[in-house]
Amino acid sequence: MRLARIAHPEGVAFGSIEADGDNDDAAQVLEIADHPFGKPNYTGRRWPLADVRLLAPILPTKVIAVGRNYAKHAQEFGNEVPAEPMIFLKPSTSVIGPHSPIKLPPSSSQVDFEGELAVVIGQPVKNVRPEQARAAILGYTVANDVSARDHQAADGQWGRAKGFDTFCPIGPWIETAVDPADLRLTTEVDGVVKQDARTSDMVHKVDDLVAFVSSVMTLLPGDMIITGTPEGVGRIEEGQQVSITIEGIGTLTNPVQSA
Protein backbone atom coordinates (compact mmCIF):
# COMPACT_ATOMS: atom_id res chain seq x y z
CA MET A 1 0.00 0.00 0.00
CA ARG A 2 1.12 3.54 -0.75
CA LEU A 3 0.21 5.96 2.03
CA ALA A 4 0.28 9.67 1.25
CA ARG A 5 -0.52 12.97 2.88
CA ILE A 6 -2.25 15.31 0.48
CA ALA A 7 -3.65 18.78 0.04
CA HIS A 8 -7.02 18.42 -1.67
CA PRO A 9 -9.69 20.99 -2.59
CA GLU A 10 -11.19 20.88 0.92
CA GLY A 11 -8.10 20.65 3.11
CA VAL A 12 -5.36 18.21 4.12
CA ALA A 13 -5.72 14.48 4.70
CA PHE A 14 -3.98 11.14 4.69
CA GLY A 15 -4.86 8.77 1.88
CA SER A 16 -3.93 5.56 0.16
CA ILE A 17 -3.04 5.61 -3.51
CA GLU A 18 -4.67 3.06 -5.78
CA ALA A 19 -2.93 2.87 -9.15
CA ASP A 20 -4.00 1.13 -12.32
CA GLY A 21 -0.92 -1.06 -12.72
CA ASP A 22 2.08 1.20 -13.28
CA ASN A 23 -0.06 4.04 -14.61
CA ASP A 24 0.17 6.73 -11.93
CA ASP A 25 -1.75 9.12 -14.20
CA ALA A 26 -4.88 7.04 -13.56
CA ALA A 27 -4.27 6.64 -9.81
CA GLN A 28 -6.89 7.59 -7.23
CA VAL A 29 -6.31 8.78 -3.67
CA LEU A 30 -8.74 7.30 -1.11
CA GLU A 31 -9.08 9.51 1.95
CA ILE A 32 -8.21 7.94 5.33
CA ALA A 33 -9.89 9.26 8.44
CA ASP A 34 -7.62 10.49 11.21
CA HIS A 35 -4.20 8.79 10.80
CA PRO A 36 -2.54 6.10 8.66
CA PHE A 37 -1.50 3.77 11.51
CA GLY A 38 -3.17 0.39 11.84
CA LYS A 39 -6.00 -0.72 9.58
CA PRO A 40 -7.11 2.26 7.45
CA ASN A 41 -10.53 3.73 8.14
CA TYR A 42 -11.71 5.22 4.84
CA THR A 43 -14.11 8.16 4.64
CA GLY A 44 -15.44 7.26 1.20
CA ARG A 45 -14.04 10.38 -0.45
CA ARG A 46 -11.52 10.06 -3.27
CA TRP A 47 -9.70 12.23 -5.78
CA PRO A 48 -7.57 11.62 -8.87
CA LEU A 49 -3.91 11.77 -7.87
CA ALA A 50 -3.40 14.42 -10.55
CA ASP A 51 -5.88 16.72 -8.75
CA VAL A 52 -4.16 16.77 -5.35
CA ARG A 53 -0.79 17.97 -4.08
CA LEU A 54 1.51 15.52 -2.36
CA LEU A 55 2.85 16.79 0.97
CA ALA A 56 5.48 15.28 3.25
CA PRO A 57 3.87 11.87 3.82
CA ILE A 58 4.36 12.04 7.59
CA LEU A 59 5.18 14.70 10.19
CA PRO A 60 7.60 12.97 12.58
CA THR A 61 8.24 14.07 16.13
CA LYS A 62 11.91 13.37 15.39
CA VAL A 63 14.15 12.27 12.52
CA ILE A 64 17.01 10.01 13.54
CA ALA A 65 19.76 10.00 10.94
CA VAL A 66 22.56 7.46 10.58
CA GLY A 67 26.02 8.61 9.56
CA ARG A 68 28.65 6.65 7.64
CA ASN A 69 26.44 3.63 7.04
CA TYR A 70 27.85 2.93 3.57
CA ALA A 71 31.54 2.03 3.56
CA LYS A 72 32.33 3.80 0.30
CA HIS A 73 30.69 7.02 1.50
CA ALA A 74 32.78 6.90 4.67
CA GLN A 75 35.88 6.36 2.55
CA GLU A 76 35.14 9.28 0.21
CA PHE A 77 35.47 11.58 3.23
CA GLY A 78 38.44 9.72 4.69
CA ASN A 79 36.47 8.29 7.62
CA GLU A 80 36.34 4.87 9.25
CA VAL A 81 33.14 2.86 9.34
CA PRO A 82 31.84 2.97 12.94
CA ALA A 83 31.43 -0.33 14.77
CA GLU A 84 28.03 0.80 16.05
CA PRO A 85 25.54 3.02 14.23
CA MET A 86 26.46 6.70 14.42
CA ILE A 87 23.21 8.57 14.99
CA PHE A 88 22.21 12.23 15.09
CA LEU A 89 18.94 14.15 15.00
CA LYS A 90 17.34 16.39 12.43
CA PRO A 91 14.56 18.65 13.72
CA SER A 92 10.96 18.16 12.63
CA THR A 93 11.09 21.67 11.14
CA SER A 94 13.61 20.47 8.54
CA VAL A 95 10.95 18.22 6.93
CA ILE A 96 9.40 19.21 3.61
CA GLY A 97 7.54 17.29 0.92
CA PRO A 98 7.92 16.59 -2.79
CA HIS A 99 8.51 19.59 -5.06
CA SER A 100 8.94 21.98 -2.12
CA PRO A 101 12.17 23.96 -2.48
CA ILE A 102 15.35 23.21 -0.60
CA LYS A 103 16.46 26.65 0.58
CA LEU A 104 20.18 27.37 0.72
CA PRO A 105 21.11 29.30 3.88
CA PRO A 106 23.22 32.42 3.27
CA SER A 107 25.69 31.33 5.97
CA SER A 108 26.81 28.27 3.97
CA SER A 109 28.82 28.10 0.78
CA GLN A 110 28.56 24.31 0.35
CA VAL A 111 25.25 22.51 0.66
CA ASP A 112 25.22 18.85 -0.38
CA PHE A 113 22.51 16.33 -1.27
CA GLU A 114 22.43 12.88 0.35
CA GLY A 115 19.91 10.36 -0.99
CA GLU A 116 18.68 7.90 1.64
CA LEU A 117 16.13 5.22 2.45
CA ALA A 118 13.82 6.33 5.27
CA VAL A 119 12.14 3.95 7.71
CA VAL A 120 8.79 5.16 9.09
CA ILE A 121 7.79 3.79 12.50
CA GLY A 122 4.22 2.59 12.93
CA GLN A 123 3.83 2.01 16.67
CA PRO A 124 5.53 3.02 19.91
CA VAL A 125 8.67 0.97 20.40
CA LYS A 126 11.39 0.79 23.02
CA ASN A 127 14.19 -1.78 23.37
CA VAL A 128 12.93 -3.89 20.48
CA ARG A 129 15.06 -6.81 19.30
CA PRO A 130 16.17 -6.90 15.63
CA GLU A 131 13.96 -9.89 14.87
CA GLN A 132 10.95 -7.93 16.17
CA ALA A 133 11.73 -4.68 14.40
CA ARG A 134 9.67 -5.23 11.23
CA ALA A 135 6.46 -5.39 13.26
CA ALA A 136 7.12 -1.82 14.42
CA ILE A 137 7.65 -0.43 10.90
CA LEU A 138 4.81 1.24 9.00
CA GLY A 139 6.74 1.46 5.74
CA TYR A 140 9.48 3.19 3.80
CA THR A 141 9.95 6.43 1.92
CA VAL A 142 12.71 8.43 0.23
CA ALA A 143 14.72 11.08 2.06
CA ASN A 144 17.35 13.69 1.28
CA ASP A 145 19.68 14.39 4.22
CA VAL A 146 20.65 17.86 2.98
CA SER A 147 23.87 19.00 4.67
CA ALA A 148 25.76 22.27 4.97
CA ARG A 149 29.14 20.62 4.58
CA ASP A 150 31.23 23.64 5.56
CA HIS A 151 29.31 24.01 8.85
CA GLN A 152 29.67 20.29 9.46
CA ALA A 153 33.44 20.51 9.14
CA ALA A 154 33.71 23.69 11.20
CA ASP A 155 31.43 22.71 14.08
CA GLY A 156 32.31 19.09 14.72
CA GLN A 157 28.75 18.72 16.02
CA TRP A 158 26.25 18.29 13.18
CA GLY A 159 23.15 20.02 14.55
CA ARG A 160 23.57 23.22 12.55
CA ALA A 161 24.81 21.55 9.37
CA LYS A 162 21.90 19.13 9.22
CA GLY A 163 19.17 21.13 10.91
CA PHE A 164 18.26 24.07 8.68
CA ASP A 165 14.63 24.42 7.62
CA THR A 166 13.96 22.43 4.40
CA PHE A 167 17.02 20.17 4.97
CA CYS A 168 14.96 16.95 5.16
CA PRO A 169 12.80 16.45 2.06
CA ILE A 170 10.78 13.21 2.23
CA GLY A 171 8.30 11.49 -0.06
CA PRO A 172 6.55 11.06 -2.36
CA TRP A 173 4.63 8.55 -0.19
CA ILE A 174 5.16 5.70 2.27
CA GLU A 175 5.34 2.24 0.70
CA THR A 176 4.24 -0.44 3.16
CA ALA A 177 4.83 -3.57 1.08
CA VAL A 178 8.46 -3.28 -0.08
CA ASP A 179 11.37 -5.31 1.31
CA PRO A 180 14.17 -2.81 2.08
CA ALA A 181 17.02 -5.33 2.01
CA ASP A 182 18.26 -4.81 -1.57
CA LEU A 183 16.79 -1.81 -3.39
CA ARG A 184 18.52 0.34 -6.00
CA LEU A 185 19.00 3.97 -4.92
CA THR A 186 19.90 6.66 -7.43
CA THR A 187 20.27 10.41 -7.10
CA GLU A 188 20.17 12.77 -10.07
CA VAL A 189 20.95 16.48 -10.16
CA ASP A 190 19.47 18.13 -13.25
CA GLY A 191 19.15 14.67 -14.82
CA VAL A 192 22.79 13.64 -14.23
CA VAL A 193 23.24 10.54 -12.06
CA LYS A 194 25.38 11.30 -9.00
CA GLN A 195 24.65 8.32 -6.75
CA ASP A 196 23.90 4.74 -7.78
CA ALA A 197 23.98 2.06 -5.10
CA ARG A 198 21.90 -0.60 -3.38
CA THR A 199 20.52 -0.70 0.13
CA SER A 200 22.22 -4.07 0.55
CA ASP A 201 25.47 -2.06 0.77
CA MET A 202 24.41 -0.62 4.14
CA VAL A 203 26.75 -1.61 6.96
CA HIS A 204 24.01 -1.66 9.60
CA LYS A 205 20.76 -3.07 8.23
CA VAL A 206 17.24 -1.76 8.82
CA ASP A 207 16.25 -4.20 11.58
CA ASP A 208 19.48 -3.57 13.48
CA LEU A 209 19.06 0.20 13.17
CA VAL A 210 15.53 0.12 14.59
CA ALA A 211 16.74 -2.04 17.48
CA PHE A 212 19.75 0.18 18.16
CA VAL A 213 17.85 3.46 18.06
CA SER A 214 15.04 2.07 20.23
CA SER A 215 17.64 1.10 22.85
CA VAL A 216 18.49 4.82 23.09
CA MET A 217 15.12 6.55 22.73
CA THR A 218 11.46 5.66 22.46
CA LEU A 219 10.26 5.72 18.87
CA LEU A 220 6.76 7.03 18.30
CA PRO A 221 4.37 6.46 15.39
CA GLY A 222 5.52 8.57 12.46
CA ASP A 223 9.12 8.93 13.64
CA MET A 224 11.69 8.31 10.93
CA ILE A 225 15.11 6.70 10.76
CA ILE A 226 17.03 7.78 7.67
CA THR A 227 19.55 5.07 7.05
CA GLY A 228 22.64 6.75 5.61
CA THR A 229 23.77 7.73 2.14
CA PRO A 230 26.00 5.94 -0.38
CA GLU A 231 29.02 7.43 -2.09
CA GLY A 232 28.67 10.21 -4.65
CA VAL A 233 27.27 13.04 -2.54
CA GLY A 234 27.88 16.51 -3.90
CA ARG A 235 27.00 20.17 -3.95
CA ILE A 236 23.67 21.62 -5.01
CA GLU A 237 23.18 25.18 -6.17
CA GLU A 238 20.33 27.60 -6.77
CA GLY A 239 18.24 26.71 -9.80
CA GLN A 240 19.09 23.01 -9.76
CA GLN A 241 16.72 20.11 -9.20
CA VAL A 242 17.46 16.99 -7.15
CA SER A 243 15.64 13.69 -7.78
CA ILE A 244 16.19 10.63 -5.62
CA THR A 245 14.67 7.31 -6.71
CA ILE A 246 14.45 4.14 -4.66
CA GLU A 247 13.34 0.99 -6.40
CA GLY A 248 9.90 -0.16 -5.31
CA ILE A 249 9.10 3.12 -3.57
CA GLY A 250 9.24 6.09 -5.94
CA THR A 251 10.99 9.34 -6.77
CA LEU A 252 11.43 12.39 -4.56
CA THR A 253 12.10 15.60 -6.49
CA ASN A 254 12.91 19.03 -5.05
CA PRO A 255 14.10 22.29 -6.62
CA VAL A 256 16.91 24.29 -5.00
CA GLN A 257 16.53 27.97 -4.11
CA SER A 258 18.37 30.56 -2.11
CA ALA A 259 16.79 31.27 1.26
Side-chain angles (χ1 to χ4, degrees):
M1 179 184 295
R2 288 177 173 176
L3 298 171
R5 184 169 154 269
I6 61 167
H8 58 74
E10 299 175 42
V12 173
F14 288 104
S16 68
I17 299 173
E18 290 194 353
D20 182 8
D22 293 328
N23 183 15
D24 285 341
D25 292 338
Q28 296 279 313
V29 182
L30 283 63
E31 185 181 46
I32 296 173
D34 301 322
H35 58 72
F37 307 108
K39 184 178 180 180
N41 178 21
Y42 294 103
T43 67
R45 299 199 298 177
R46 63 171 63 207
W47 300 272
L49 179 59
D51 291 350
V52 302
R53 180 165 62 92
L54 290 171
L55 306 173
I58 203 73
L59 295 176
T61 70
K62 53 187 173 291
V63 179
I64 304 95
V66 183
R68 303 174 189 170
N69 200 29
Y70 287 76
K72 291 183 179 179
H73 171 61
Q75 291 166 7
E76 73 180 341
F77 283 90
N79 296 311
E80 298 293 328
V81 176
E84 291 185 306
M86 175 188 293
I87 63 173
F88 57 94
L89 296 175
K90 293 175 78 80
S92 59
T93 48
S94 67
V95 173
I96 58 172
H99 305 295
S100 292
I102 299 166
K103 295 187 178 180
L104 305 176
S107 63
S108 176
S109 61
Q110 184 179 352
V111 175
D112 287 5
F113 61 83
E114 295 189 7
E116 307 198 10
L117 172 72
V119 181
V120 183
I121 300 300
Q123 63 186 49
V125 59
K126 175 66 176 173
N127 291 325
V128 70
R129 296 194 298 271
E131 60 270 22
Q132 300 171 318
R134 293 294 173 96
I137 296 172
L138 174 65
Y140 307 89
T141 191
V142 184
N144 188 349
D145 178 18
V146 182
S147 306
R149 197 68 71 197
D150 47 357
H151 292 332
Q152 186 177 8
D155 294 353
Q157 299 293 327
W158 296 0
R160 178 168 66 138
K162 303 281 191 172
F164 284 98
D165 291 354
T166 76
F167 269 29
C168 191
I170 60 172
W173 41 65
I174 298 166
E175 176 57 65
T176 65
V178 71
D179 184 341
D182 185 30
L183 304 175
R184 187 183 182 192
L185 183 158
T186 59
T187 301
E188 297 181 2
V189 178
D190 289 344
V192 178
V193 175
K194 301 292 186 179
Q195 292 181 292
D196 192 346
R198 304 195 71 86
T199 57
S200 54
D201 297 329
M202 288 194 295
V203 176
H204 305 287
K205 310 304 183 185
V206 165
D207 296 349
D208 296 320
L209 291 174
V210 174
F212 180 83
V213 174
S214 77
S215 74
V216 178
M217 64 191 77
T218 300
L219 293 168
L220 300 176
D223 284 350
M224 288 197 325
I225 300 173
I226 58 176
T227 56
T229 195
E231 72 278 10
V233 302
R235 185 176 302 189
I236 49 177
E237 298 179 349
E238 182 177 14
Q240 292 185 316
Q241 179 171 276
V242 185
S243 294
I244 303 164
T245 301
I246 299 182
E247 177 185 8
I249 300 176
T251 299
L252 170 67
T253 297
N254 298 91
V256 182
Q257 297 178 1
S258 293

mmCIF file of all heavy atoms in Angstrom, residues 27-46:
data_model
loop_
_atom_site.group_PDB
_atom_site.id
_atom_site.type_symbol
_atom_site.label_atom_id
_atom_site.label_comp_id
_atom_site.label_asym_id
_atom_site.label_seq_id
_atom_site.Cartn_x
_atom_site.Cartn_y
_atom_site.Cartn_z
ATOM 1 N N ALA A 27 -4.162 6.999 -11.222
ATOM 2 C CA ALA A 27 -4.269 6.635 -9.814
ATOM 3 C C ALA A 27 -5.310 7.495 -9.098
ATOM 4 O O ALA A 27 -5.541 8.653 -9.456
ATOM 5 C CB ALA A 27 -2.917 6.787 -9.127
ATOM 6 N N GLN A 28 -5.918 6.913 -8.087
ATOM 7 C CA GLN A 28 -6.889 7.589 -7.234
ATOM 8 C C GLN A 28 -6.353 7.612 -5.798
ATOM 9 O O GLN A 28 -5.675 6.690 -5.355
ATOM 10 C CB GLN A 28 -8.221 6.842 -7.253
ATOM 11 C CG GLN A 28 -8.909 6.808 -8.610
ATOM 12 C CD GLN A 28 -9.669 8.085 -8.883
ATOM 13 O OE1 GLN A 28 -10.408 8.580 -8.027
ATOM 14 N NE2 GLN A 28 -9.522 8.618 -10.078
ATOM 15 N N VAL A 29 -6.671 8.680 -5.075
ATOM 16 C CA VAL A 29 -6.313 8.777 -3.666
ATOM 17 C C VAL A 29 -7.578 8.598 -2.841
ATOM 18 O O VAL A 29 -8.530 9.366 -2.987
ATOM 19 C CB VAL A 29 -5.660 10.128 -3.334
ATOM 20 C CG1 VAL A 29 -5.262 10.169 -1.853
ATOM 21 C CG2 VAL A 29 -4.449 10.374 -4.209
ATOM 22 N N LEU A 30 -7.597 7.584 -1.977
ATOM 23 C CA LEU A 30 -8.735 7.300 -1.109
ATOM 24 C C LEU A 30 -8.455 7.905 0.265
ATOM 25 O O LEU A 30 -7.452 7.572 0.905
ATOM 26 C CB LEU A 30 -8.955 5.791 -0.973
ATOM 27 C CG LEU A 30 -9.632 5.059 -2.137
ATOM 28 C CD1 LEU A 30 -8.786 5.142 -3.408
ATOM 29 C CD2 LEU A 30 -9.888 3.610 -1.767
ATOM 30 N N GLU A 31 -9.320 8.800 0.707
ATOM 31 C CA GLU A 31 -9.085 9.509 1.952
ATOM 32 C C GLU A 31 -9.200 8.574 3.158
ATOM 33 O O GLU A 31 -10.140 7.787 3.277
ATOM 34 C CB GLU A 31 -10.067 10.664 2.108
ATOM 35 C CG GLU A 31 -9.788 11.523 3.337
ATOM 36 C CD GLU A 31 -10.797 12.644 3.490
ATOM 37 O OE1 GLU A 31 -12.017 12.377 3.361
ATOM 38 O OE2 GLU A 31 -10.369 13.794 3.726
ATOM 39 N N ILE A 32 -8.207 8.687 4.073
ATOM 40 C CA ILE A 32 -8.206 7.944 5.329
ATOM 41 C C ILE A 32 -8.605 8.894 6.452
ATOM 42 O O ILE A 32 -8.076 10.003 6.561
ATOM 43 C CB ILE A 32 -6.811 7.342 5.598
ATOM 44 C CG1 ILE A 32 -6.456 6.313 4.516
ATOM 45 C CG2 ILE A 32 -6.737 6.726 6.984
ATOM 46 C CD1 ILE A 32 -5.033 5.799 4.614
ATOM 47 N N ALA A 33 -9.506 8.464 7.284
ATOM 48 C CA ALA A 33 -9.894 9.262 8.441
ATOM 49 C C ALA A 33 -8.786 9.241 9.487
ATOM 50 O O ALA A 33 -8.141 8.221 9.708
ATOM 51 C CB ALA A 33 -11.187 8.717 9.042
ATOM 52 N N ASP A 34 -8.565 10.372 10.086
ATOM 53 C CA ASP A 34 -7.623 10.492 11.208
ATOM 54 C C ASP A 34 -6.182 10.248 10.777
ATOM 55 O O ASP A 34 -5.561 11.132 10.224
ATOM 56 C CB ASP A 34 -8.020 9.567 12.364
ATOM 57 C CG ASP A 34 -9.412 9.867 12.889
ATOM 58 O OD1 ASP A 34 -9.763 11.062 12.945
ATOM 59 O OD2 ASP A 34 -10.147 8.930 13.221
ATOM 60 N N HIS A 35 -5.620 9.050 10.992
ATOM 61 C CA HIS A 35 -4.198 8.787 10.802
ATOM 62 C C HIS A 35 -3.994 7.504 9.991
ATOM 63 O O HIS A 35 -4.931 6.708 9.819
ATOM 64 C CB HIS A 35 -3.493 8.694 12.161
ATOM 65 C CG HIS A 35 -4.059 7.621 13.051
ATOM 66 N ND1 HIS A 35 -3.857 6.285 12.821
ATOM 67 C CD2 HIS A 35 -4.823 7.696 14.168
ATOM 68 C CE1 HIS A 35 -4.459 5.566 13.750
ATOM 69 N NE2 HIS A 35 -5.059 6.407 14.577
ATOM 70 N N PRO A 36 -2.780 7.265 9.511
ATOM 71 C CA PRO A 36 -2.541 6.097 8.658
ATOM 72 C C PRO A 36 -2.056 4.862 9.412
ATOM 73 O O PRO A 36 -1.686 3.865 8.783
ATOM 74 C CB PRO A 36 -1.435 6.605 7.721
ATOM 75 C CG PRO A 36 -0.634 7.516 8.587
ATOM 76 C CD PRO A 36 -1.625 8.196 9.505
ATOM 77 N N PHE A 37 -2.042 4.884 10.742
ATOM 78 C CA PHE A 37 -1.504 3.773 11.514
ATOM 79 C C PHE A 37 -2.584 2.723 11.771
ATOM 80 O O PHE A 37 -3.731 3.051 12.057
ATOM 81 C CB PHE A 37 -0.926 4.280 12.839
ATOM 82 C CG PHE A 37 0.061 5.398 12.642
ATOM 83 C CD1 PHE A 37 -0.268 6.696 12.998
ATOM 84 C CD2 PHE A 37 1.296 5.163 12.063
ATOM 85 C CE1 PHE A 37 0.629 7.739 12.807
ATOM 86 C CE2 PHE A 37 2.193 6.199 11.856
ATOM 87 C CZ PHE A 37 1.863 7.492 12.230
ATOM 88 N N GLY A 38 -2.198 1.466 11.682
ATOM 89 C CA GLY A 38 -3.172 0.393 11.845
ATOM 90 C C GLY A 38 -4.002 0.198 10.589
ATOM 91 O O GLY A 38 -3.654 0.650 9.500
ATOM 92 N N LYS A 39 -5.128 -0.482 10.729
ATOM 93 C CA LYS A 39 -6.005 -0.722 9.581
ATOM 94 C C LYS A 39 -6.670 0.578 9.164
ATOM 95 O O LYS A 39 -7.292 1.258 9.985
ATOM 96 C CB LYS A 39 -7.065 -1.755 9.943
ATOM 97 C CG LYS A 39 -7.955 -2.138 8.767
ATOM 98 C CD LYS A 39 -8.955 -3.208 9.161
ATOM 99 C CE LYS A 39 -9.839 -3.580 7.974
ATOM 100 N NZ LYS A 39 -10.837 -4.630 8.336
ATOM 101 N N PRO A 40 -6.535 0.977 7.878
ATOM 102 C CA PRO A 40 -7.106 2.259 7.447
ATOM 103 C C PRO A 40 -8.626 2.311 7.609
ATOM 104 O O PRO A 40 -9.334 1.338 7.333
ATOM 105 C CB PRO A 40 -6.708 2.341 5.967
ATOM 106 C CG PRO A 40 -5.579 1.392 5.806
ATOM 107 C CD PRO A 40 -5.813 0.294 6.795
ATOM 108 N N ASN A 41 -9.102 3.461 8.051
ATOM 109 C CA ASN A 41 -10.532 3.733 8.141
ATOM 110 C C ASN A 41 -10.858 4.776 7.077
ATOM 111 O O ASN A 41 -10.529 5.959 7.222
ATOM 112 C CB ASN A 41 -10.889 4.240 9.540
ATOM 113 C CG ASN A 41 -12.361 4.577 9.685
ATOM 114 O OD1 ASN A 41 -13.199 4.099 8.918
ATOM 115 N ND2 ASN A 41 -12.685 5.413 10.660
ATOM 116 N N TYR A 42 -11.469 4.345 5.984
ATOM 117 C CA TYR A 42 -11.706 5.224 4.844
ATOM 118 C C TYR A 42 -12.984 6.033 5.019
ATOM 119 O O TYR A 42 -13.983 5.554 5.564
ATOM 120 C CB TYR A 42 -11.788 4.408 3.553
ATOM 121 C CG TYR A 42 -10.486 3.753 3.174
ATOM 122 C CD1 TYR A 42 -10.287 2.389 3.394
ATOM 123 C CD2 TYR A 42 -9.456 4.486 2.625
ATOM 124 C CE1 TYR A 42 -9.095 1.779 3.059
ATOM 125 C CE2 TYR A 42 -8.248 3.889 2.282
ATOM 126 C CZ TYR A 42 -8.070 2.533 2.502
ATOM 127 O OH TYR A 42 -6.889 1.931 2.180
ATOM 128 N N THR A 43 -12.950 7.281 4.541
ATOM 129 C CA THR A 43 -14.110 8.163 4.642
ATOM 130 C C THR A 43 -15.083 7.991 3.482
ATOM 131 O O THR A 43 -16.226 8.431 3.563
ATOM 132 C CB THR A 43 -13.677 9.635 4.666
ATOM 133 O OG1 THR A 43 -13.103 9.980 3.383
ATOM 134 C CG2 THR A 43 -12.670 9.885 5.772
ATOM 135 N N GLY A 44 -14.616 7.385 2.395
ATOM 136 C CA GLY A 44 -15.437 7.257 1.197
ATOM 137 C C GLY A 44 -15.141 8.314 0.146
ATOM 138 O O GLY A 44 -15.584 8.203 -1.000
ATOM 139 N N ARG A 45 -14.397 9.352 0.524
ATOM 140 C CA ARG A 45 -14.040 10.383 -0.454
ATOM 141 C C ARG A 45 -12.774 9.961 -1.195
ATOM 142 O O ARG A 45 -11.891 9.298 -0.637
ATOM 143 C CB ARG A 45 -13.833 11.728 0.226
ATOM 144 C CG ARG A 45 -15.070 12.241 0.939
ATOM 145 C CD ARG A 45 -15.008 13.729 1.193
ATOM 146 N NE ARG A 45 -13.911 14.131 2.046
ATOM 147 C CZ ARG A 45 -13.636 15.403 2.350
ATOM 148 N NH1 ARG A 45 -14.366 16.378 1.829
ATOM 149 N NH2 ARG A 45 -12.631 15.696 3.153
ATOM 150 N N ARG A 46 -12.700 10.374 -2.456
ATOM 151 C CA ARG A 46 -11.520 10.057 -3.272
ATOM 152 C C ARG A 46 -11.306 11.147 -4.304
ATOM 153 O O ARG A 46 -12.232 11.871 -4.666
ATOM 154 C CB ARG A 46 -11.656 8.699 -3.965
ATOM 155 C CG ARG A 46 -12.809 8.595 -4.960
ATOM 156 C CD ARG A 46 -12.723 7.282 -5.749
ATOM 157 N NE ARG A 46 -12.850 6.113 -4.880
ATOM 158 C CZ ARG A 46 -12.316 4.922 -5.168
ATOM 159 N NH1 ARG A 46 -11.619 4.771 -6.281
ATOM 160 N NH2 ARG A 46 -12.500 3.912 -4.371
#
